[in-house]
Amino acid sequence: MDLRHAARSVALTWCLTAACWHGAPLAPPVPVATVPFDSYGGAIYVPAIIDGDSVWLMLDTGLSRTGLDRDWAVTAGVATADTAASTAVVKSLRLGA
């Protein structure tokens, strides 16, 4: 066991016993939001409303940007039919109910 692993174990034990525990049970964290989802084909989909139009978005925490289907974006009025444009601005995005 290396020194860092041993120090982590000691700190965790100390926190769970005397320093942080204080005899009361630990409360679960308060959720910021609860969003329903559907799992399909190994991906997670969440219901959303973009500029008033209901859609299912594939949740990918590894992306730094949100991608929308160009045809849908044109139909919903989010983007123009200009194929040279690679970005669009949405007025509102809501996840869940």
Side-chain angles (χ1 to χ4, degrees):
M1 185 183 309
D2 69 344
L3 186 57
R4 282 188 288 178
H5 183 70
R8 248 186 257 133
S9 297
V10 169
L12 180 60
T13 302
W14 178 74
C15 183
L16 291 176
T17 55
C20 297
W21 187 255
H22 298 294
L26 295 175
V30 177
V32 175
T34 302
V35 178
F37 67 91
D38 192 10
S39 176
Y40 179 75
I44 296 173
Y45 293 89
V46 294
I49 298 177
I50 299 176
D51 289 350
D53 194 8
S54 296
V55 295
W56 281 90
L57 297 178
M58 183 171 54
L59 182 66
D60 187 345
T61 59
L63 291 175
S64 59
R65 295 178 184 240
T66 299
L68 301 174
D69 178 72
R70 184 180 301 276
D71 292 335
W72 174 85
V74 170
T75 303
V78 174
T80 64
D82 179 12
T83 57
S86 62
T87 60
V89 177
V90 298
K91 294 178 186 107
S92 66
L93 176 110
R94 188 174 79 204
L95 299 178

